[in-house]
Every structure is written in C-alpha cells, then in structure tokens.
Amino acid sequence: MNDRIPKKMRAVVLTKPGEFEIREVPVPVPEPYEVLCRVRGVAICGSDPEIIRGDLAGTWPPSYPFIPGHEWAGEVVAVGENVLNFETGDRVAGEPWKGCGYCTSCLEGKYNLCENYGKEKTGFRHYGFISPGAYAQYCAYSIKSVSKLPSNISFLEAALVDTAGVALHGLELTGVTPGGTVAIIGPGPIGLLAMRLARCMGAAKIIAVGRGSRLEAAGRLGADLLVDFEREDPVKAVRAAANGSGVNQALECSGAKGTFHQAVRMVKQGGRVALLGVPEGEFMEPLPFKYICRNEIAIFAVKADPNTKHKVISLISSGQLIVKDLITHTFPLQEFGKALNTFVKRRDGAVKVVIEPNGTEKI
Ligand SMILES: [Zn+2]
Ligand SMILES: [Zn+2]
C-alpha cells in the first residue's frame, strides 16, 4: 500500500445497542478483488438510525464493535490482488450488496436475494449491515460493489446513488406508463427520488401524498399535485386527480400503517403497486382480497437496488436526474451525532444528510 495512506483512521464505531463513538481504528487492507477507498461523502440512510439504536442487534449488526454506513462515494487509493479494472485515483460510488455469485438468485442477477445471506465465507457482503461499512475515512469494498463515476458527478451527489437505485428498482418492477399518472406515498428521500425517476421514465403527472415539510419539499422538487393526508382522504383525492379511475402506479415509500391498503385503492384496474417503504417492527395490514383479484392489481415488494447503480449514474451524469437539491445538510465525521439527530428529527427540513469524513467538497 502507498505511503500516503495512514495506518489509522477515524470511524463511527457502534459499541453496543444505542451507543457509538468516533474512534481511531486501523485502516482496512484490501483483499483480492477489493479496492481501498477514501470516503468523500456518505449519506445517512433511513435504515441507519434503526441499526444504531440496536433494534436489530444480533442481525444488523451481527456483533459489536461495528462500523455502519453504506451510501457512499469516494476515491480509490489502493487496489488488492487481481484487480484489473480499477486503479488509484478512480472516483467511485459504493453499493451495500455483494452476492455470493453462484447461488440460483445470484445467477439470475438477483443478488439482493442471495441465498447465502450472511455467510461471508461464500464471498457474500452486506456492507454497513453485517460487513464493515463506510462511516469512516476509508473502506475496503469488493470491485463488484463499486462503480466508476464520470467527472461531472460530485462525491456528494454520488452518495445518493444507492438511495436512487432503490427507487429505480421499484420503478423497474412496476414499470412506468409513458404519459401516465403515478402516486407517491411518503415523499422522504426514496419517495422524492422515485418522483424524479418516474418523470425520467415518462410519467406525465405525479401526485405526492404526505404532510408537513416533506410534502412541501415534494412540491418544490417537482410533484404536480400535493395531497395532505391530514386534511383529506388520500384515496379519494388521488382518484379524483386521476380522472376518477385511479393512477397507473402507486409507490408506497413510507412504511406507515394503512398506506399499503391506500396504495391498492389508489391504482386503476390493472394498476401496479410497489412497496418501497420498510415498516418499523411487525404489523399486519388488512387488504381487500377480492378487490385486488377483481381489479387485477399487481403488487411488487422492493428490496435494495440490484443492477441499478450504472443506470442511476448515467441519468445523473446526463442531467436527466437531479439529486443535488435533495442534499440539505453536510457534516464532518466528528459531528456524526449532530448529523444523525438532524436526519432523525428532520431538523430544518432535512432530506438527505451527508457526512464528509475527509474534508468538504464544493458542489
Ligand atoms: Zn440505504
Ligand atoms: Zn448468492
């Protein structure tokens, strides 16, 4: 490894459920087929507060101490053995998943459903969840889980590639009807990116359903119609806005109780529903079985972002997908606690909060 790479780095280390420290740890050494990267931007994901609180301790993370964080971009500073297509200086965006590569799901390209989940000996990785993540100055990642960035994308923007990839995966599953109408329930980061991507894919009318500052953000960032579910019945309002017959696609991006049912009732006959929001904890959602059958409503569950990052990077680079204005806050790594609080409490209209562990970037 090159002499300019220090032996130690600062990282956010979870020490036990609900507790973390910013401490010095060894800089990882890249294994074969891995690259060592200097992290320049790492965005807080909706799943991070849950992991940090320790709600899933034993699974995510499997044990302590643990470095979380998975929505990052940075530069390659060293390469492991057998790395042919990356070199020092390459700018890259990371993705949390690496499948084993040989199970049936991986062979079908569905590495988000790898049958060897959690078995790192098979080569499987889920960075920031079970494998060391990117709330650190450096991270070592498989070359399967990093993508090169064109020079016109900043590291801060590229830290949003993973979130946008999840939204795109949902939209690829449901499809978007060119000239059609899409309803987005829950205009948080995934919902807002789904809104922008639906537009890239040809949607003519986008209805955002939410409340408060996030609904306002949807209005500012391009929704055609806003439905405040605290003021009106969201199903009635959405159907009325879609000529009374319902929307082509409804994307549930909040994970809140009751919204799955609402999404089903918002779509037209033959309409499609995507579930992008992950509910906290376990709850059952009553659904109109007969209504779904009679109206041939298709429902798609969405997990992570397999095979979408290259598409998202191309869309950002071409200017068709704008993500810059979703970054409301940036913080240095030392202020991780403040950054987390800003994100969780949605302080000052926080949407995407990005940590910069190696100095600031102007965009
Ligand atoms: Zn994420
Ligand atoms: Zn696999």
Side-chain angles (χ1 to χ4, degrees):
M1 288 209 315
N2 150 346
D3 310 334
R4 289 177 52 212
I5 301 165
K7 297 254 178 312
K8 297 261 183 178
M9 65 174 186
R10 278 193 305 278
V12 174
V13 180
L14 306 186
T15 51
K16 57 168 118 155
E19 286 184 25
F20 65 83
E21 283 171 14
I22 294 152
R23 64 156 87 135
E24 294 241 304
V25 297
V27 171
V29 176
E31 289 179 11
Y33 303 104
E34 283 187 351
V35 285
L36 178 71
C37 301
R38 183 180 288 129
V39 179
R40 297 295 308 273
V42 48
I44 301 182
C45 172
S47 59
D48 288 331
E50 211 177 357
I51 293 172
I52 295 166
R53 282 197 307 268
D55 296 0
L56 307 164
T59 306
W60 295 347
S63 61
Y64 295 87
F66 183 78
I67 301 174
H70 60 273
E71 299 185 356
W72 67 278
E75 54 217 341
V76 174
V77 292
V79 300
E81 272 175 52
N82 306 330
V83 172
L84 302 181
N85 308 101
F86 289 88
E87 54 187 43
T88 304
D90 282 345
R91 305 165 75 255
V92 294
E95 171 183 1
W97 289 83
K98 175 189 176 275
C100 72
Y102 58 84
C103 73
T104 320
S105 296
C106 281
L107 289 172
E108 288 172 354
K110 298 175 184 166
Y111 56 91
N112 57 326
L113 307 175
C114 177
E115 289 155 35
N116 282 311
Y117 187 93
K119 298 177 192 157
E120 290 197 309
K121 274 192 179 157
T122 66
F124 175 88
R125 297 285 184 276
H126 194 193
Y127 297 105
F129 292 81
I130 66 160
S131 319
Y135 285 133
Q137 290 184 293
Y138 294 86
C139 63
Y141 259 57
S142 164
I143 50 173
K144 280 192 172 178
S145 307
V146 291
S147 304
K148 284 187 202 176
L149 294 170
S151 58
N152 69 346
I153 301 186
S154 66
F155 293 117
L156 289 174
E157 289 169 291
L160 270 60
V161 166
D162 183 49
T163 315
V166 175
L168 182 58
H169 181 43
L171 289 162
E172 286 191 327
L173 288 170
T174 55
V176 172
T177 309
T181 303
V182 177
I184 309 268
I185 305 174
I190 293 216
L192 293 168
L193 286 160
M195 191 175 92
R196 289 250 163 106
L197 283 159
R199 187 79 79 196
C200 291
M201 293 166 78
K205 188 171 187 181
I206 295 172
I207 306 168
V209 182
R211 65 174 166 184
S213 65
R214 294 222 156 154
L215 189 62
E216 279 166 29
R220 220 173 34 245
L221 300 171
D224 299 299
L225 189 85
L226 304 180
V227 172
D228 184 335
F229 66 80
E230 289 185 326
R231 294 194 184 168
E232 53 189 330
D233 177 333
V235 174
K236 272 194 198 148
V238 167
R239 291 189 76 91
N243 303 324
S245 57
V247 296
N248 299 92
Q249 290 86 24
L251 308 174
E252 200 304 301
C253 304
S254 75
K257 237 180 195 164
T259 50
F260 185 178
H261 184 193
Q262 288 168 9
V264 163
R265 296 278 188 189
M266 282 174 188
V267 294
K268 61 186 293 202
Q269 290 195 316
R272 294 169 159 232
V273 171
L275 304 174
L276 290 122
V278 181
E280 277 195 22
E282 305 286 332
F283 61 78
M284 302 295 283
E285 177 97 355
L287 290 169
F289 196 161
K290 193 182 273 183
Y291 179 86
I292 291 170
C293 294
R294 290 259 165 91
N295 291 288
E296 217 172 74
I297 291 165
I299 296 165
F300 297 86
V302 182
K303 182 179 181 182
D305 53 345
N307 305 310
T308 51
K309 56 189 190 293
H310 300 98
K311 299 169 198 171
V312 168
I313 290 169
S314 296
L315 285 169
I316 299 175
S317 179
S318 69
Q320 290 172 88
L321 175 64
I322 295 165
V323 299
K324 208 187 283 190
D325 50 5
L326 268 67
I327 303 167
T328 51
H329 297 76
T330 57
F331 289 93
L333 191 72
Q334 303 84 283
E335 292 181 22
F336 182 76
K338 197 170 160 195
L340 186 66
N341 226 342
T342 303
F343 178 76
V344 173
K345 304 250 164 73
R346 299 182 189 175
R347 290 230 162 92
D348 312 318
V351 179
K352 268 312 222 186
V353 175
V354 185
I355 310 292
E356 296 183 288
N358 284 293
T360 53
E361 180 187 29
K362 288 249 173 308
I363 62 167

